[in-house]
Amino acid sequence: MPVVARFLSDEWVAELGDALAAGEDLAEATTGTHLTVQQVVTGDDGGAWWVRVDGGQVRAGTGRAEDPDVTMTTDRPTAVALAQGHLAAQDAFAAGRLRLGGDITVIIRHGEALACVDDAVAAVRARTTWD
């Protein structure tokens, strides 16, 4: 399985976007859902990226999103652990390693759609370079 670009790079976010756009089941699962989730990774090796779900269309992009519903802010080691599934967001939040901004009830209301988004990018995660 070929390795994709480094976590948080523009190429990596493009791979996410391609995986999200290709998901026919994802489009069906997210019909009626409208939200933007942004992740900000602090530090010299950080960055920002977002996922927007808009009524069955799901996209990803680099940088800061315009008017995100929720912003998750972490350091890079926490972001990597979250993305790899080694750390649950609830545990990171409880430990003070994850800060949430915006309307966090959106995550709860749209948890099923967000789980489908996560499933759609699993193959990209499996091929990502994390260092």
Side-chain angles (χ1 to χ4, degrees):
M1 186 178 296
V3 173
V4 297
R6 183 175 187 258
F7 179 59
L8 294 181
S9 68
D10 291 346
E11 295 81 11
W12 180 78
V13 175
E15 289 275 345
L16 289 181
D18 290 347
L20 294 170
E24 209 170 284
D25 291 339
L26 179 60
E28 188 175 314
T30 59
T31 299
T33 301
H34 302 277
L35 69 116
T36 301
V37 178
Q38 171 176 260
Q39 182 169 13
V40 176
V41 180
T42 60
D44 292 339
D45 57 353
W49 63 286
W50 50 265
V51 171
R52 179 168 290 129
V53 180
D54 192 13
Q57 294 184 349
V58 186
R59 297 176 294 148
T62 58
R64 302 258 180 165
E66 188 175 311
D67 297 323
D69 295 290
V70 176
T71 298
M72 304 182 316
T73 304
T74 67
D75 60 14
R76 187 179 182 89
T78 302
V80 168
L82 288 167
Q84 291 177 321
H86 296 235
L87 177 64
Q90 299 89 331
D91 294 336
F93 181 76
R97 296 174 59 189
L98 168 66
R99 293 188 317 268
L100 294 171
D103 182 5
I104 61 173
T105 63
V106 167
I107 293 174
I108 297 164
R109 282 195 317 269
H110 299 294
E112 192 171 312
L114 290 171
C116 292
V117 168
D118 190 55
D119 290 346
V121 297
V124 175
R125 260 195 324 272
R127 299 186 319 259
T128 296
T129 301
W130 298 100
D131 57 352

